[in-house]
Amino acid sequence: MSRRTQIVLFVSLALNLFLIGGVVGGLVVGQRLRSDRPPPMARMNQPVWAAAEALSPEQARAYRTMLRGEGMEARANMRQMREARTQAWGTLGAEPFDPALSKQKLAEIRSREAATRGEIDARIVDFAAGLTPGERRKLAKALTERSGHGQPPGPNGPR
């Protein structure tokens, strides 16, 4: 086999492996996008997402859809608050230094974060209002058990 033929075969093999990897990667990513899994940001608040497991498949799908929609808005708000917090921390190096201004900016950011969390909580309550009493009990139990409420303090309980 000539040197040129070997190079062509090697390049062909590399190209085929690259294409196969791309197709497999696309299928995996596409499957993840179509699944009912929570988006990556939900890792911060996994108990809220995991509570869907207590619901019927139809209700769980509706619950996750509601959270996903709320999550996109919350994600944008949180991004803005991170930027605002960076700017607030920047005031520490300003001259003249104004501690009251820095504290005020940080307090405003905390308030906005709490309001964003409150909107998510309100959406969950609104969703629960459309459930039967039994489904509401299941959702409540899932939310309280997974978030650590009702567990005794200790190595495995809330801190």
Side-chain angles (χ1 to χ4, degrees):
M1 197 180 304
S2 74
R3 181 91 171 132
R4 185 168 190 241
T5 305
Q6 288 177 343
I7 292 172
V8 169
L9 286 174
F10 179 75
V11 169
S12 174
L13 175 65
L15 184 61
N16 284 326
L17 287 174
F18 176 75
L19 290 173
I20 289 170
V23 169
V24 170
L27 290 173
V28 168
V29 169
Q31 180 62 31
R32 286 185 182 166
L33 292 176
R34 287 188 298 273
S35 73
D36 275 343
R37 286 180 167 174
M41 183 189 153
R43 288 185 213 126
M44 293 187 326
N45 204 2
Q46 196 65 33
V48 170
W49 280 91
E53 296 169 14
L55 301 171
S56 69
E58 302 82 32
Q59 291 291 356
R61 199 170 5 267
Y63 179 79
R64 288 183 178 123
T65 299
M66 177 272 303
L67 285 178
R68 193 171 284 115
E70 185 66 27
M72 293 180 81
E73 185 178 320
R75 194 173 9 251
N77 289 341
M78 295 303 269
R79 187 177 311 115
Q80 291 173 351
M81 286 179 264
R82 273 193 306 273
E83 292 169 7
R85 178 169 273 118
T86 299
Q87 291 173 357
W89 288 126
T91 64
L92 297 178
E95 288 299 332
F97 176 57
D98 184 354
L101 178 64
S102 296
K103 289 177 183 178
Q104 176 190 358
K105 287 181 182 257
L106 292 168
E108 289 170 5
I109 294 165
R110 278 191 308 276
S111 175
R112 288 173 51 200
E113 287 171 339
T116 298
R117 175 60 197 189
E119 290 168 12
I120 293 169
D121 292 346
R123 292 285 297 267
I124 293 171
V125 171
D126 291 343
F127 178 84
L131 299 175
T132 66
E135 290 170 326
R136 272 196 319 275
R137 278 191 293 278
K138 288 179 185 177
L139 180 62
K141 183 177 180 188
L143 286 167
T144 57
E145 285 179 352
R146 284 181 167 78
S147 64
H149 293 95
Q151 292 181 3
N156 298 324
R159 293 174 196 222

